[in-house]
Amino acid sequence: MKKVFALVDCNNFYVSCERLFRPALNGQPVVVLSNNDGCVIARSNEAKALGIPMGEPFFKIRAFARRQNVHVLSSNYALYGDLSGRVMDVLHQMEAGVEVYSIDEAFLSLPAARGWDRLSYVAEIRERIRKHVGIPVSIGIGPTKTLAKIAGRVAKKEGRYQGVFDLADNGQVDAVLQQTGVNDVWGIGRRFTEKLNRRGIRNAFELKQANEAWVRNHLTVVGARIVMELNGISCLPLEKIPSSKKSIVTSRSFGQPVTALDDLRDAVITFASRAAVKLREQMLEAGALHVFLATNDFGAPAASYANGQTVTMAHSTSNTPLLISMALQCLKSLYRPGYRYQKAGVMLSGLVSQGYRQQSLFFPTTEENRSLMTALDRINSKWGQDTIQYGMTGMQKPWEARQSHRSQAYTTDWHDLPVVNAS
DNA sequence: TCTGGGGTCCTAGGACCC
DNA sequence: TCTGGGGTCCTAGGACCC
Protein backbone atom coordinates (compact mmCIF):
# COMPACT_ATOMS: atom_id res chain seq x y z
CA MET A 1 0.00 0.00 0.00
CA LYS A 2 1.24 3.46 -0.87
CA LYS A 3 2.26 5.58 2.08
CA VAL A 4 2.83 9.22 2.88
CA PHE A 5 5.03 10.68 5.58
CA ALA A 6 3.91 12.88 8.44
CA LEU A 7 6.37 14.92 10.48
CA VAL A 8 5.37 15.67 14.07
CA ASP A 9 7.43 18.57 15.39
CA CYS A 10 7.17 20.03 18.89
CA ASN A 11 6.91 23.81 18.79
CA ASN A 12 9.78 25.67 20.49
CA PHE A 13 10.26 22.43 22.39
CA TYR A 14 12.55 23.44 25.27
CA VAL A 15 10.58 26.59 25.90
CA SER A 16 7.32 24.64 25.84
CA CYS A 17 8.75 22.21 28.41
CA GLU A 18 9.67 25.06 30.76
CA ARG A 19 6.27 26.70 30.33
CA LEU A 20 4.50 23.52 31.31
CA PHE A 21 5.75 23.97 34.87
CA ARG A 22 5.81 27.76 34.88
CA PRO A 23 2.61 28.88 33.16
CA ALA A 24 3.51 32.48 33.99
CA LEU A 25 5.98 32.22 31.09
CA ASN A 26 3.13 31.84 28.60
CA GLY A 27 2.90 34.83 26.31
CA GLN A 28 6.29 36.08 27.52
CA PRO A 29 9.55 36.17 25.57
CA VAL A 30 11.61 33.18 26.74
CA VAL A 31 14.98 31.81 25.64
CA VAL A 32 16.77 28.64 26.69
CA LEU A 33 20.58 28.60 26.65
CA SER A 34 22.99 25.85 25.66
CA ASN A 35 25.25 24.16 28.16
CA ASN A 36 27.51 26.60 29.92
CA ASP A 37 24.91 29.29 29.20
CA GLY A 38 26.76 29.89 25.94
CA CYS A 39 24.24 30.29 23.13
CA VAL A 40 20.53 30.67 22.59
CA ILE A 41 19.21 27.27 21.51
CA ALA A 42 15.46 27.73 21.89
CA ARG A 43 13.20 30.76 21.64
CA SER A 44 9.54 31.37 22.25
CA ASN A 45 7.62 33.06 19.43
CA GLU A 46 7.76 36.29 21.42
CA ALA A 47 11.57 36.05 21.61
CA LYS A 48 11.74 35.33 17.87
CA ALA A 49 9.60 38.40 17.28
CA LEU A 50 12.15 40.47 19.19
CA GLY A 51 14.70 39.41 16.59
CA ILE A 52 16.85 37.16 18.78
CA PRO A 53 18.57 34.74 16.37
CA MET A 54 18.98 31.01 16.89
CA GLY A 55 22.49 30.13 18.08
CA GLU A 56 23.28 33.69 19.16
CA PRO A 57 26.00 33.90 21.85
CA PHE A 58 24.21 34.95 24.99
CA PHE A 59 26.73 37.58 26.06
CA LYS A 60 25.89 39.55 22.93
CA ILE A 61 22.22 39.88 23.85
CA ARG A 62 22.44 39.89 27.64
CA ALA A 63 21.74 43.61 27.99
CA PHE A 64 19.06 43.58 25.32
CA ALA A 65 17.34 40.62 26.98
CA ARG A 66 17.30 42.42 30.31
CA ARG A 67 15.81 45.56 28.80
CA GLN A 68 13.12 43.59 26.99
CA ASN A 69 12.28 41.46 30.05
CA VAL A 70 13.19 38.25 28.27
CA HIS A 71 13.09 35.24 30.60
CA VAL A 72 16.41 33.46 30.35
CA LEU A 73 16.80 29.78 31.30
CA SER A 74 19.70 27.35 31.38
CA SER A 75 18.93 24.08 29.62
CA ASN A 76 17.47 21.25 31.67
CA TYR A 77 17.95 18.08 29.62
CA ALA A 78 16.52 15.73 32.24
CA LEU A 79 13.21 17.55 31.94
CA TYR A 80 13.24 17.75 28.13
CA GLY A 81 14.21 14.09 27.73
CA ASP A 82 11.41 12.97 30.01
CA LEU A 83 8.73 15.04 28.24
CA SER A 84 10.04 13.94 24.85
CA GLY A 85 9.50 10.33 25.93
CA ARG A 86 5.90 11.13 26.85
CA VAL A 87 5.20 12.72 23.46
CA MET A 88 6.69 9.69 21.71
CA ASP A 89 4.59 7.36 23.88
CA VAL A 90 1.41 9.02 22.64
CA LEU A 91 2.56 8.57 19.03
CA HIS A 92 3.42 4.90 19.60
CA GLN A 93 -0.01 4.32 21.12
CA MET A 94 -1.69 5.71 18.01
CA GLU A 95 0.55 4.50 15.20
CA ALA A 96 2.63 1.45 14.37
CA GLY A 97 5.04 3.25 12.05
CA VAL A 98 6.92 5.78 14.17
CA GLU A 99 10.49 6.96 13.67
CA VAL A 100 11.77 8.99 16.59
CA TYR A 101 14.00 11.35 14.67
CA SER A 102 15.20 13.68 17.43
CA ILE A 103 14.27 14.84 20.89
CA ASP A 104 11.42 16.92 19.48
CA GLU A 105 10.54 15.34 16.13
CA ALA A 106 9.10 12.09 14.81
CA PHE A 107 8.14 10.81 11.37
CA LEU A 108 5.02 8.71 10.90
CA SER A 109 4.00 6.58 7.96
CA LEU A 110 0.32 6.97 7.00
CA PRO A 111 -1.75 5.33 4.24
CA ALA A 112 -1.78 7.44 1.09
CA ALA A 113 -5.19 6.27 -0.07
CA ARG A 114 -7.72 8.99 -0.73
CA GLY A 115 -11.11 8.72 0.84
CA TRP A 116 -10.12 9.29 4.42
CA ASP A 117 -9.51 12.54 6.10
CA ARG A 118 -5.80 12.59 6.88
CA LEU A 119 -5.90 16.13 8.10
CA SER A 120 -8.57 15.40 10.70
CA TYR A 121 -6.62 12.39 11.85
CA VAL A 122 -3.35 14.26 12.40
CA ALA A 123 -5.31 17.06 14.05
CA GLU A 124 -6.51 14.41 16.49
CA ILE A 125 -2.91 13.30 17.14
CA ARG A 126 -2.00 16.91 17.80
CA GLU A 127 -4.89 17.37 20.19
CA ARG A 128 -4.09 14.20 22.10
CA ILE A 129 -0.46 15.28 22.66
CA ARG A 130 -1.66 18.66 23.85
CA LYS A 131 -4.11 17.07 26.26
CA HIS A 132 -1.97 14.20 27.60
CA VAL A 133 1.44 15.88 27.69
CA GLY A 134 0.73 19.58 27.27
CA ILE A 135 3.22 20.24 24.48
CA PRO A 136 2.05 22.01 21.29
CA VAL A 137 3.10 20.34 18.03
CA SER A 138 2.88 21.03 14.30
CA ILE A 139 2.29 18.24 11.79
CA GLY A 140 3.20 18.30 8.10
CA ILE A 141 2.33 15.63 5.54
CA GLY A 142 4.11 14.91 2.26
CA PRO A 143 4.95 12.12 -0.17
CA THR A 144 8.59 12.21 0.98
CA LYS A 145 10.27 13.10 4.24
CA THR A 146 11.78 16.23 2.72
CA LEU A 147 8.34 17.44 1.56
CA ALA A 148 6.78 16.51 4.92
CA LYS A 149 9.40 18.71 6.57
CA ILE A 150 8.45 21.60 4.31
CA ALA A 151 4.75 20.99 5.02
CA GLY A 152 5.59 21.07 8.72
CA ARG A 153 7.15 24.52 8.33
CA VAL A 154 3.95 25.77 6.73
CA ALA A 155 1.87 24.19 9.49
CA LYS A 156 3.96 25.95 12.11
CA LYS A 157 4.24 29.36 10.45
CA GLU A 158 0.80 29.89 8.96
CA GLY A 159 -1.65 30.25 11.82
CA ARG A 160 -4.66 29.68 9.56
CA TYR A 161 -3.78 26.01 9.18
CA GLN A 162 -4.00 25.40 12.95
CA GLY A 163 -0.83 23.36 13.17
CA VAL A 164 -1.51 20.80 10.41
CA PHE A 165 -0.74 21.00 6.69
CA ASP A 166 -0.96 18.38 3.95
CA LEU A 167 1.27 18.68 0.91
CA ALA A 168 0.76 15.11 -0.31
CA ASP A 169 -1.79 15.66 -3.06
CA ASN A 170 -3.24 19.09 -2.93
CA GLY A 171 -1.71 20.63 -6.07
CA GLN A 172 0.03 23.38 -4.11
CA VAL A 173 3.47 21.81 -3.96
CA ASP A 174 5.20 24.05 -6.48
CA ALA A 175 3.63 27.20 -5.07
CA VAL A 176 4.84 26.28 -1.58
CA LEU A 177 8.30 25.36 -2.87
CA GLN A 178 8.58 28.72 -4.59
CA GLN A 179 8.07 30.39 -1.24
CA THR A 180 10.58 28.20 0.55
CA GLY A 181 14.15 29.50 0.59
CA VAL A 182 16.68 26.91 -0.47
CA ASN A 183 18.33 27.31 2.96
CA ASP A 184 15.10 26.14 4.57
CA VAL A 185 15.20 22.80 2.79
CA TRP A 186 16.16 19.89 5.06
CA GLY A 187 19.79 18.96 4.32
CA ILE A 188 20.77 22.31 2.77
CA GLY A 189 23.02 24.16 5.20
CA ARG A 190 25.10 27.29 4.92
CA ARG A 191 27.73 25.97 2.49
CA PHE A 192 25.28 24.34 0.12
CA THR A 193 23.13 27.48 0.16
CA GLU A 194 26.13 29.57 -0.91
CA LYS A 195 26.93 27.19 -3.76
CA LEU A 196 23.32 27.10 -4.92
CA ASN A 197 22.89 30.87 -4.70
CA ARG A 198 26.01 31.38 -6.77
CA ARG A 199 24.33 29.30 -9.45
CA GLY A 200 21.18 31.39 -9.17
CA ILE A 201 19.18 28.77 -7.28
CA ARG A 202 17.38 30.53 -4.48
CA ASN A 203 14.20 28.68 -3.66
CA ALA A 204 13.12 25.06 -3.28
CA PHE A 205 11.25 25.07 -6.58
CA GLU A 206 14.42 26.08 -8.44
CA LEU A 207 16.32 23.35 -6.59
CA LYS A 208 13.67 20.82 -7.59
CA GLN A 209 14.37 21.66 -11.23
CA ALA A 210 18.15 21.90 -10.94
CA ASN A 211 20.44 20.01 -13.28
CA GLU A 212 21.00 16.58 -11.81
CA ALA A 213 24.61 16.14 -12.91
CA TRP A 214 25.59 19.55 -11.54
CA VAL A 215 23.94 18.81 -8.21
CA ARG A 216 25.55 15.38 -8.01
CA ASN A 217 28.90 16.95 -8.76
CA HIS A 218 28.76 19.88 -6.34
CA LEU A 219 26.46 18.63 -3.59
CA THR A 220 27.34 14.91 -3.80
CA VAL A 221 24.74 12.17 -3.61
CA VAL A 222 23.33 13.92 -0.55
CA GLY A 223 22.17 16.83 -2.70
CA ALA A 224 20.99 14.52 -5.49
CA ARG A 225 18.74 12.72 -3.01
CA ILE A 226 17.25 15.99 -1.82
CA VAL A 227 16.36 16.94 -5.41
CA MET A 228 14.70 13.53 -5.91
CA GLU A 229 12.73 13.96 -2.71
CA LEU A 230 11.56 17.42 -3.79
CA ASN A 231 10.31 15.75 -6.96
CA GLY A 232 8.19 13.41 -4.89
CA ILE A 233 10.48 10.38 -5.25
CA SER A 234 11.11 8.97 -1.78
CA CYS A 235 14.76 8.12 -1.09
CA LEU A 236 14.74 8.28 2.71
CA PRO A 237 12.70 5.46 4.24
CA LEU A 238 11.03 5.44 7.62
CA GLU A 239 13.43 3.94 10.15
CA LYS A 240 11.36 2.48 12.92
CA ILE A 241 14.21 0.72 14.65
CA PRO A 242 17.00 3.07 15.65
CA SER A 243 20.32 1.82 14.32
CA SER A 244 22.80 1.17 17.08
CA LYS A 245 25.28 3.91 17.86
CA LYS A 246 28.62 4.13 16.09
CA SER A 247 30.23 6.55 18.50
CA ILE A 248 29.63 8.02 21.94
CA VAL A 249 30.97 11.43 22.88
CA THR A 250 31.14 13.20 26.22
CA SER A 251 32.58 16.68 26.04
CA ARG A 252 32.11 20.05 27.68
CA SER A 253 33.20 23.61 27.39
CA PHE A 254 34.64 24.70 30.69
CA GLY A 255 33.00 27.28 32.92
CA GLN A 256 36.33 29.12 33.00
CA PRO A 257 39.62 28.55 31.18
CA VAL A 258 41.66 25.68 32.60
CA THR A 259 45.45 25.71 32.63
CA ALA A 260 46.53 23.05 35.14
CA LEU A 261 47.08 19.48 34.04
CA ASP A 262 45.46 18.27 37.25
CA ASP A 263 42.20 19.99 36.43
CA LEU A 264 42.26 18.63 32.90
CA ARG A 265 42.88 15.16 34.32
CA ASP A 266 39.90 15.56 36.55
CA ALA A 267 37.68 16.63 33.64
CA VAL A 268 38.92 13.82 31.39
CA ILE A 269 38.33 11.22 34.12
CA THR A 270 34.79 12.49 34.49
CA PHE A 271 34.17 12.45 30.72
CA ALA A 272 35.57 8.93 30.35
CA SER A 273 33.42 7.71 33.26
CA ARG A 274 30.24 9.20 31.82
CA ALA A 275 30.99 7.88 28.34
CA ALA A 276 31.50 4.44 29.86
CA VAL A 277 28.12 4.63 31.59
CA LYS A 278 26.43 5.52 28.28
CA LEU A 279 28.28 2.60 26.69
CA ARG A 280 26.98 0.10 29.25
CA GLU A 281 23.46 1.52 29.14
CA GLN A 282 23.38 0.50 25.50
CA MET A 283 25.03 -2.86 26.13
CA LEU A 284 28.01 -1.89 24.02
CA GLU A 285 31.77 -2.09 24.23
CA ALA A 286 34.28 0.25 22.60
CA GLY A 287 37.23 -0.71 20.43
CA ALA A 288 38.84 2.73 20.39
CA LEU A 289 39.04 5.82 22.54
CA HIS A 290 39.79 9.36 21.47
CA VAL A 291 40.66 12.31 23.69
CA PHE A 292 40.63 15.88 22.44
CA LEU A 293 41.23 19.27 23.95
CA ALA A 294 41.17 22.80 22.64
CA THR A 295 41.68 26.40 23.62
CA ASN A 296 39.11 29.04 22.72
CA ASP A 297 38.55 29.12 18.92
CA PHE A 298 37.82 32.81 19.11
CA GLY A 299 41.04 33.82 20.84
CA ALA A 300 44.27 35.05 19.31
CA PRO A 301 45.78 32.40 16.97
CA ALA A 302 49.10 32.44 18.82
CA ALA A 303 47.37 31.40 22.02
CA SER A 304 45.37 28.63 20.36
CA TYR A 305 46.03 24.94 20.43
CA ALA A 306 43.77 22.03 19.58
CA ASN A 307 44.73 18.42 19.36
CA GLY A 308 43.39 14.92 19.76
CA GLN A 309 44.69 11.41 20.10
CA THR A 310 43.15 8.02 19.48
CA VAL A 311 44.12 4.70 21.01
CA THR A 312 42.88 1.50 19.50
CA MET A 313 42.37 -1.33 21.94
CA ALA A 314 43.35 -4.90 21.40
CA HIS A 315 40.07 -5.98 22.99
CA SER A 316 36.84 -4.03 23.17
CA THR A 317 35.81 -3.01 26.66
CA SER A 318 33.28 -1.08 28.71
CA ASN A 319 35.37 -1.13 31.88
CA THR A 320 35.58 2.32 33.42
CA PRO A 321 39.02 2.11 35.09
CA LEU A 322 40.54 0.76 31.87
CA LEU A 323 38.97 3.50 29.77
CA ILE A 324 40.09 6.12 32.28
CA SER A 325 43.67 4.94 32.24
CA MET A 326 43.80 5.03 28.45
CA ALA A 327 42.21 8.47 28.37
CA LEU A 328 44.85 9.72 30.81
CA GLN A 329 47.65 8.32 28.65
CA CYS A 330 46.26 10.30 25.71
CA LEU A 331 45.90 13.44 27.79
CA LYS A 332 49.49 13.18 28.99
CA SER A 333 50.84 13.26 25.46
CA LEU A 334 48.40 15.94 24.30
CA TYR A 335 48.92 18.40 27.12
CA ARG A 336 51.05 21.47 26.49
CA PRO A 337 51.57 23.82 29.41
CA GLY A 338 50.93 27.51 29.00
CA TYR A 339 47.61 27.34 27.20
CA ARG A 340 44.21 28.32 28.50
CA TYR A 341 42.08 25.30 27.66
CA GLN A 342 38.43 25.88 26.96
CA LYS A 343 37.09 22.49 26.06
CA ALA A 344 37.89 18.80 26.21
CA GLY A 345 36.15 15.55 25.51
CA VAL A 346 36.29 11.80 25.20
CA MET A 347 34.94 9.85 22.23
CA LEU A 348 34.40 6.11 22.11
CA SER A 349 34.16 4.34 18.76
CA GLY A 350 34.49 0.92 17.21
CA LEU A 351 31.39 0.00 19.18
CA VAL A 352 30.24 -3.62 19.30
CA SER A 353 27.47 -5.20 21.33
CA GLN A 354 28.54 -6.80 24.59
CA GLY A 355 27.82 -10.35 23.55
CA TYR A 356 29.52 -10.01 20.20
CA ARG A 357 33.08 -9.82 21.39
CA GLN A 358 35.22 -12.85 21.01
CA GLN A 359 36.56 -14.02 24.31
CA SER A 360 40.26 -13.59 24.47
CA LEU A 361 42.46 -16.29 25.80
CA PHE A 362 44.77 -13.80 27.43
CA PHE A 363 42.29 -11.16 28.58
CA PRO A 364 39.22 -13.00 29.79
CA THR A 365 36.34 -10.80 30.92
CA THR A 366 36.18 -11.25 34.61
CA GLU A 367 32.74 -11.57 36.08
CA GLU A 368 33.84 -9.52 39.09
CA ASN A 369 34.64 -6.62 36.80
CA ARG A 370 31.32 -6.68 35.07
CA SER A 371 29.29 -6.97 38.25
CA LEU A 372 31.27 -4.15 39.84
CA MET A 373 30.37 -1.91 36.90
CA THR A 374 26.73 -2.99 37.09
CA ALA A 375 26.54 -2.25 40.80
CA LEU A 376 28.15 1.14 40.31
CA ASP A 377 25.70 2.06 37.55
CA ARG A 378 22.75 1.05 39.72
CA ILE A 379 23.84 3.16 42.66
CA ASN A 380 24.55 6.22 40.54
CA SER A 381 21.32 5.86 38.64
CA LYS A 382 19.33 5.61 41.87
CA TRP A 383 21.07 8.25 43.97
CA GLY A 384 22.27 10.60 41.30
CA GLN A 385 25.20 10.93 38.95
CA ASP A 386 28.56 10.93 40.72
CA THR A 387 27.24 9.56 44.02
CA ILE A 388 30.11 7.14 43.70
CA GLN A 389 32.96 8.34 41.54
CA TYR A 390 36.51 7.42 40.92
CA GLY A 391 39.00 8.30 43.61
CA MET A 392 41.21 10.29 41.28
CA THR A 393 38.59 12.95 40.59
CA GLY A 394 38.81 16.04 42.71
CA MET A 395 35.96 17.53 44.66
CA GLN A 396 36.67 21.06 43.48
CA LYS A 397 35.83 21.24 39.80
CA PRO A 398 36.85 24.64 38.44
CA TRP A 399 36.10 23.41 34.93
CA GLU A 400 32.44 22.71 35.49
CA ALA A 401 29.96 24.56 33.32
CA ARG A 402 28.03 27.60 34.34
CA GLN A 403 24.30 27.17 34.74
CA SER A 404 23.00 30.35 36.23
CA HIS A 405 19.39 30.04 35.15
CA ARG A 406 18.60 26.40 35.76
CA SER A 407 15.01 25.24 36.26
CA GLN A 408 14.20 22.23 38.41
CA ALA A 409 13.98 18.56 37.43
CA TYR A 410 10.21 18.66 37.84
CA THR A 411 9.52 15.18 36.52
CA THR A 412 12.66 13.21 37.26
CA ASP A 413 13.72 14.11 40.78
CA TRP A 414 11.55 13.65 43.86
CA HIS A 415 12.95 16.79 45.44
CA ASP A 416 11.80 18.89 42.50
CA LEU A 417 8.25 17.61 42.12
CA PRO A 418 5.93 20.54 41.64
CA VAL A 419 3.88 21.34 44.75
CA VAL A 420 0.23 22.19 44.34
CA ASN A 421 -1.29 24.31 47.07
CA ALA A 422 -5.03 23.98 47.58
CA SER A 423 -6.70 26.74 49.49
C1' DT B 1 35.24 38.27 30.41
C1' DC B 2 31.41 35.50 28.05
C1' DT B 3 30.47 31.72 21.47
C1' DG B 4 26.75 23.99 23.06
C1' DG B 5 26.81 19.03 22.68
C1' DG B 6 26.08 14.85 20.28
C1' DG B 7 25.56 12.65 16.30
C1' DT B 8 25.60 10.91 10.91
C1' DC B 9 27.10 10.43 6.15
C1' DC B 10 30.17 11.28 2.16
C1' DT B 11 34.53 11.97 -0.31
C1' DA B 12 39.34 12.39 -1.34
C1' DG B 13 43.59 10.75 -0.75
C1' DG B 14 47.15 7.82 1.16
C1' DA B 15 48.78 3.16 2.28
C1' DC B 16 49.01 -1.14 0.86
C1' DC B 17 48.39 -5.33 -1.96
C1' DC B 18 48.96 -8.26 -6.13
C1' DT C 1 63.50 10.90 -19.85
C1' DC C 2 61.05 6.93 -19.00
C1' DT C 3 58.11 5.15 -13.99
C1' DG C 4 51.24 -0.21 -14.52
C1' DG C 5 46.68 -0.95 -13.30
C1' DG C 6 43.28 -2.07 -10.34
C1' DG C 7 41.50 -2.99 -6.08
C1' DT C 8 40.56 -2.41 -0.87
C1' DC C 9 40.83 -0.30 3.46
C1' DC C 10 41.42 3.47 6.53
C1' DT C 11 41.35 8.20 8.01
C1' DA C 12 40.78 13.14 8.07
C1' DG C 13 37.98 16.63 6.96
C1' DG C 14 33.77 18.67 5.40
C1' DA C 15 28.97 19.11 5.45
C1' DC C 16 24.77 18.43 7.51
C1' DC C 17 21.15 17.63 11.37
C1' DC C 18 18.66 18.87 15.95
Side-chain angles (χ1 to χ4, degrees):
Chain A
M1 187 176 37
K2 211 167 171 302
K3 295 280 194 176
V4 293
F5 294 93
L7 173 73
V8 181
D9 191 349
C10 300
N11 299 344
N12 314 329
F13 182 55
Y14 296 170
V15 170
S16 299
C17 291
E18 299 286 350
R19 280 177 167 170
L20 211 45
F21 294 91
R22 287 175 62 188
L25 296 176
N26 287 320
Q28 302 287 313
V30 181
V31 297
V32 175
L33 304 180
S34 63
N35 234 307
N36 215 22
D37 294 342
C39 299
V40 173
I41 54 167
R43 306 158 295 157
S44 70
N45 290 342
E46 298 78 9
K48 289 176 191 172
L50 286 173
I52 298 174
M54 182 68 167
E56 184 77 347
F58 178 57
F59 74 89
K60 288 189 182 174
I61 60 152
R62 189 190 307 272
F64 174 79
R66 194 177 300 131
R67 279 201 305 279
Q68 299 287 338
N69 294 316
V70 176
H71 297 265
V72 176
L73 301 165
S74 301
S75 40
N76 182 344
Y77 291 105
L79 178 66
Y80 312 149
D82 182 69
L83 290 171
S84 170
R86 293 175 197 226
V87 170
M88 301 308 168
D89 284 348
V90 172
L91 294 177
H92 280 113
Q93 281 159 20
M94 294 183 77
E95 277 297 321
V98 179
E99 174 187 339
V100 177
Y101 174 68
S102 73
I103 194 165
D104 67 340
E105 282 176 62
F107 286 103
L108 310 177
S109 177
L110 302 177
R114 292 157 195 267
W116 72 293
D117 193 347
R118 270 197 306 255
L119 265 186
S120 303
Y121 177 65
V122 297
E124 188 192 325
I125 294 179
R126 182 171 182 268
E127 176 57 17
R128 202 181 292 194
I129 294 171
R130 192 198 60 76
K131 201 164 144 190
H132 291 205
V133 192
I135 298 288
V137 304
S138 305
I139 305 182
I141 300 173
T144 66
K145 283 182 165 180
T146 304
L147 289 169
K149 275 273 202 180
I150 288 173
R153 262 189 96 243
V154 177
K156 187 176 292 190
K157 286 182 67 153
E158 309 279 340
R160 63 196 143 121
Y161 296 121
Q162 306 200 348
V164 292
F165 187 72
D166 189 342
L167 206 50
D169 48 23
N170 67 1
Q172 300 180 51
V173 178
D174 288 349
V176 169
L177 294 187
Q178 264 162 10
Q179 286 166 38
T180 305
V182 85
N183 56 305
D184 287 322
V185 175
W186 190 36
I188 305 293
R190 200 165 46 88
R191 299 297 175 134
F192 283 5
T193 298
E194 282 167 16
K195 279 189 190 177
L196 289 166
N197 285 349
R198 275 200 296 274
R199 196 160 211 260
I201 297 170
R202 306 200 163 266
N203 65 48
F205 180 68
E206 289 165 349
L207 179 57
K208 172 181 172 178
Q209 299 189 311
N211 177 278
E212 198 187 319
W214 183 89
V215 171
R216 175 72 182 74
N217 207 3
H218 291 86
L219 270 54
T220 78
V221 297
V222 176
R225 273 201 291 259
I226 294 170
V227 172
M228 300 261 283
E229 288 245 321
L230 288 175
N231 279 284
I233 301 159
S234 178
C235 309
L236 306 167
L238 191 84
E239 287 170 26
K240 285 198 254 181
I241 300 149
S243 53
S244 81
K245 284 223 193 316
K246 293 175 177 159
S247 64
I248 288 175
V249 177
T250 303
S251 75
R252 289 286 176 280
S253 291
F254 301 139
Q256 49 187 296
V258 168
T259 52
L261 179 57
D262 272 353
D263 288 334
L264 281 175
R265 284 171 53 93
D266 189 79
V268 164
I269 288 168
T270 304
F271 299 153
S273 308
R274 290 193 189 154
V277 171
K278 293 183 200 170
L279 197 59
R280 295 192 294 267
E281 274 169 3
Q282 296 174 57
M283 315 281 278
L284 296 171
E285 294 182 342
L289 174 146
H290 179 82
V291 176
F292 58 92
L293 41 75
T295 56
N296 192 334
D297 292 347
F298 301 88
S304 92
Y305 170 66
N307 206 349
Q309 190 174 58
T310 306
V311 281
T312 306
M313 293 167 251
H315 310 276
S316 62
T317 183
S318 62
N319 182 270
T320 300
L322 201 56
L323 291 167
I324 287 176
S325 76
M326 285 187 300
L328 288 178
Q329 277 174 39
C330 291
L331 175 64
K332 201 171 153 191
S333 74
L334 289 169
Y335 179 75
R336 305 278 179 278
Y339 288 105
R340 291 157 57 82
Y341 295 94
Q342 219 261 321
K343 180 178 181 161
V346 170
M347 176 163 78
L348 303 175
S349 57
L351 306 186
V352 295
S353 59
Q354 264 172 20
Y356 174 81
R357 173 174 58 153
Q358 298 233 323
Q359 283 290 330
S360 157
L361 195 56
F362 303 105
F363 297 91
T365 314
T366 64
E367 280 310 312
E368 308 87 84
N369 252 337
R370 185 154 290 166
S371 23
L372 174 63
M373 289 296 108
T374 308
L376 197 82
D377 290 344
R378 283 212 189 107
I379 292 169
N380 282 337
S381 141
K382 183 166 181 185
W383 299 103
Q385 188 172 275
D386 299 338
T387 299
I388 296 186
Q389 47 179 320
Y390 281 82
M392 294 171 267
T393 58
M395 287 301 178
Q396 299 297 322
K397 298 184 191 298
W399 49 272
E400 275 197 330
R402 287 184 300 268
Q403 287 212 308
S404 317
H405 315 274
R406 177 72 178 268
S407 59
Q408 296 168 300
Y410 300 107
T411 61
T412 54
D413 189 327
W414 289 112
H415 303 106
D416 289 350
L417 275 183
V419 177
V420 177
N421 293 309
S423 56

